[in-house]
Each structure stands twice: as C-alpha cells, then as structure tokens.
Amino acid sequence: MALAIYLLLAAVLLAGTLLPVLPVAHGLVRVGDFPRQQYLALALVLLAAAPFVADWTAIWLGVLAVLAATAFVQIALIAEFTPLARKQSSGFDPRQDDGDAFRLVAANVKMSNRQREAMRAELARADPDILVLMEVDDGWAETLSSLTGRYPHVVSRPQNNSYGMIVASKLELADIVVDCLLTADVPSVVTTVRTKAGRLFRLYAIHPEPPVPHRGTTGRDGETALVALRARKETRPVVVTGDLNDVAWSKTTRRFRRLSRLLDPRIGRSVFSTFDARIPLLRWPLDHLFHSAEFRLAGMRRLAPCGSDHFPVAFDLVLCSEPDADSHPQPADGDDVAHARELVESARKRDEKPIGGDWET
C-alpha cells in the first residue's frame, strides 16, 4: 500500500509539472501552474522517503531521477521570487531618491464574505491613498461607503457577478475609463493619477476571470495580454494592479512583464503569496502590482484577510522624476507581441458569459 501511494504521488507530481507546458488555454491545464511551492515540497518529501520504499533497481533509479528533475523545475521557477535573485524593482533610498510617496491597497473582498465590518476596519487602518476593491456588489458598496466616502475621488462599479470594482483615491483622478476590455460584465478601471507634487501616472485596475477546470482561459489570457500591449504604449509611468487570477511565475504573467516592460517588486524579495488566505498549505501569489521604472518600492505587506480568501495587499511606492537606471525590465521579442495579439483576437471572438462567482463559495 505504501509503495502504491508513493508511486501515485510521484505520478501526480510529474503530471502537474508537465501539464502547464502544454500550449493549451484551458483551466484544467493552466491551474497546474499554481502550486509550484507545493510541488517542490512534495518532491522533497518523496525523495526523503525513498530509502524506506525503494529497492534501488534501475526502474527505481529512474523514478528518483524524475523526482529530482521535477524538484529542480520548481526551484528554477520560484527562485527569482526569493532574496537569492537580483531585485527587479529598486527600493526607495531617501538619500538618493527624491519623489512623491503614496500607498496603494488592493483587496479582493470576496463577494460572499460576511465579515464586512471587519474588512472595512482593516482597510481603514491601512489608510491607503489609493484603494482598489474587487468582487464588490451593492451590499459591499454600502458597507464600505463610510470608508470610500472619505475619498474625494471614487469610481464605483458594483456588480453581483464577482467582478464589481471600486477605486477610491485621495489623489486626483482624471481621464477615467471603466471598460469591459474583452469580456462583457468584467470591468477594468483605467485612469490618470496626479500625485500631491503634480506628477502624473497611469493606473490600470483589473480583475480578469479565474481559471476553472471546466472552461478555457482565453478571456483571462487575452485581457492580461491586452493590458500589457496598452501599457507598453503609455508615455507616462504606469501601475497595473489587481487580482490577475494567475501566479507570478506562469508563462502568461512572465509574458505580461516582457510585453508591458513593467517591473515586479516580488522578484528578488519574496513569493508574497496572497491566496488562499484560509488554507496556509495552499497558497500562491494571485494578487499583483507591476510598475514602471519611475517608481521605487518603499514597502509591501499583506493585511488581514477578514473572511476573504485573498489577503489584501499594501504597496508603498515613490514616484520619482526619472526611471531607475538599475531597474531592467525583461525585453519582449517578436513572438511575444504576435502571440499577445493572437490571444486578444481569440478572446474577442468568444461567445461566452463570464465565469461566475457561483463556483466559489
């Protein structure tokens, strides 16, 4: 029995490692990208347990080689999100940098969450200059009105399908666009933000569809590709934030970074897992912030989840007058651009309703 369980776990590990390599835009394949940390832990446990079950035949040596290879794959994908890698986003140094600081908090409150007052109090304690809220329905909008009402600039689009969004800002907003980029009833907010010192930057708040085992991921992949293509054309500094429903190390997110020329503050620092806040052993980085090289990172942290399956995330950023010479976004190639455009066109041609919130309770 122990041997059968061992081999079954090894097979699951191998399948989970290989599936995301397939060029298939389907949730059943793409969700294999998520538990890389868990795959690594499982590979190490199986390798450590090998002396108790292996008979050291050629077949067993092959099994152990496969386990070692899967562990190496996970390490290769996760390593850049540790202090072992070079920081992609520079930290703020008050001795060298002269900029305009602000705090941005992004929170997927979870539409079905009933701990609304606790969430409102937690967000209020964080005291962000910009607050991005996702999965907001009318009930959430009402509960949070005492908080968002303190902000002079509010963009509110509550919805009952888990894609409602509110952006509240102490900083002036202009050129506000609330648009369903590729999928009906899945809105994004794009706006120009003016800091206290008068510096301008573009903010994209997005929340594409999640991958689920019974649907394709064309909508999610196309939306992130479209935002990346638009961000690369911006002439002002850019911040993209939200629950992207994708992990930091996936092919889709890595392509997003290359296309947009934006930086990920987690690289060289930590994985910064934000989901699932309720299950410590099943966590991965789904909530993101990317920024152009004009920004410096003064700090990032998770807030208390207060009933949501996501941790709210707080980023302290400083917008400087010049890009940081030590920040080097990864370059895109022609294949990246062509593939992104194909993803966008495929998403435009879909005739599907958005993946609803009824699958996640």
Side-chain angles (χ1 to χ4, degrees):
M1 179 64 71
L3 177 60
I5 293 174
Y6 188 99
L7 293 175
L8 176 61
L9 291 175
V12 169
L13 177 60
L14 180 61
T17 301
L18 293 179
L19 269 178
V21 177
L22 299 175
V24 178
H26 195 280
L28 194 61
V29 174
R30 299 270 66 87
V31 293
D33 259 326
F34 285 37
R36 296 292 183 185
Q37 299 169 98
Q38 289 77 15
Y39 290 160
L40 175 59
L42 177 58
L44 295 177
V45 168
L46 291 177
L47 286 169
F52 303 98
V53 293
D55 56 11
W56 308 112
T57 62
I59 293 177
W60 263 107
L61 291 176
V63 170
L64 296 180
V66 169
L67 289 175
T70 58
F72 177 79
V73 169
Q74 317 314 328
I75 292 171
L77 289 168
I78 297 171
E80 68 174 338
F81 300 96
T82 71
L84 298 175
R86 177 187 176 187
K87 293 182 178 67
Q88 190 180 64
S89 174
S90 293
F92 175 65
D93 185 348
R95 298 167 299 178
Q96 299 179 9
D97 300 320
D98 180 18
D100 207 1
F102 64 93
R103 175 172 297 160
L104 185 150
V105 168
N108 182 327
V109 298
K110 187 172 177 60
M111 192 174 73
S112 61
N113 179 13
R114 291 297 175 259
Q115 296 183 34
R116 295 179 174 178
E117 284 297 333
M119 178 67 77
R120 184 201 60 76
E122 178 69 8
L123 297 174
R125 280 191 292 270
D127 192 25
D129 298 289
I130 301 173
L131 179 60
V132 177
L133 301 167
M134 291 153 285
E135 290 203 23
V136 179
D137 60 7
D138 289 330
W140 268 107
E142 176 62 27
T143 298
L144 296 170
S145 61
S146 61
L147 172 62
T148 58
R150 305 174 192 173
Y151 289 80
H153 306 278
V154 179
V155 182
S156 183
R157 177 78 175 266
Q159 296 184 176
N160 64 357
N161 67 346
S162 296
Y163 296 104
M165 183 175 290
I166 292 177
V167 175
S169 178
K170 297 177 183 178
L171 308 176
E172 180 184 348
L173 303 181
D175 305 321
I176 301 168
V177 176
V178 182
D179 188 18
C180 298
L181 299 177
L182 290 174
T183 305
D185 297 321
V186 179
S188 298
V189 176
V190 184
T191 183
T192 299
V193 182
R194 183 185 296 273
T195 67
K196 295 175 183 178
R199 295 183 173 97
L200 302 176
F201 70 92
R202 294 285 282 168
L203 173 66
Y204 288 75
I206 65 176
H207 182 202
E209 298 171 274
V212 291
H214 59 280
R215 286 275 294 270
T217 60
T218 305
R220 182 201 68 176
D221 300 346
E223 183 167 332
T224 54
L226 179 60
V227 171
L229 290 171
R230 291 186 177 181
R232 71 187 277 115
K233 294 181 180 178
E234 294 283 1
T235 58
R236 290 185 175 131
V238 177
V239 169
V240 176
T241 192
D243 170 11
L244 271 64
N245 277 310
D246 200 5
V247 284
W249 44 71
S250 74
K251 291 190 295 185
T252 308
T253 301
R254 295 201 309 270
R255 185 187 305 115
F256 173 89
R257 293 202 316 256
R258 295 193 301 267
L259 284 168
S260 65
R261 302 191 182 99
L262 300 180
L263 309 172
D264 187 342
R266 291 166 298 199
I267 293 178
R269 291 185 173 89
S270 72
V271 171
F272 201 57
S273 294
T274 61
F275 176 99
D276 188 308
R278 304 164 299 183
I279 309 173
L281 292 178
L282 292 178
R283 285 185 181 166
W284 33 74
L286 288 193
D287 301 88
H288 303 254
L289 182 140
F290 304 96
H291 64 80
S292 55
E294 291 87 355
F295 294 90
R296 315 291 190 266
L297 180 72
M300 64 180 187
R301 60 189 175 97
R302 298 186 314 197
L303 308 181
C306 299
S308 176
D309 48 357
H310 290 254
F311 289 94
V313 288
F315 293 88
D316 290 297
L317 299 172
V318 181
L319 177 56
C320 300
S321 56
E322 296 294 334
D324 179 31
D326 293 328
S327 295
H328 301 287
Q330 297 170 317
D333 57 30
D335 290 340
D336 284 330
V337 175
H339 188 56
R341 289 172 177 164
E342 290 173 4
L343 287 171
V344 172
E345 288 308 308
S346 295
R348 288 191 197 281
K349 294 175 182 177
R350 288 181 312 146
D351 184 18
E352 294 178 327
K353 293 182 179 180
I355 296 168
D358 53 346
W359 68 276
E360 181 188 9
T361 58

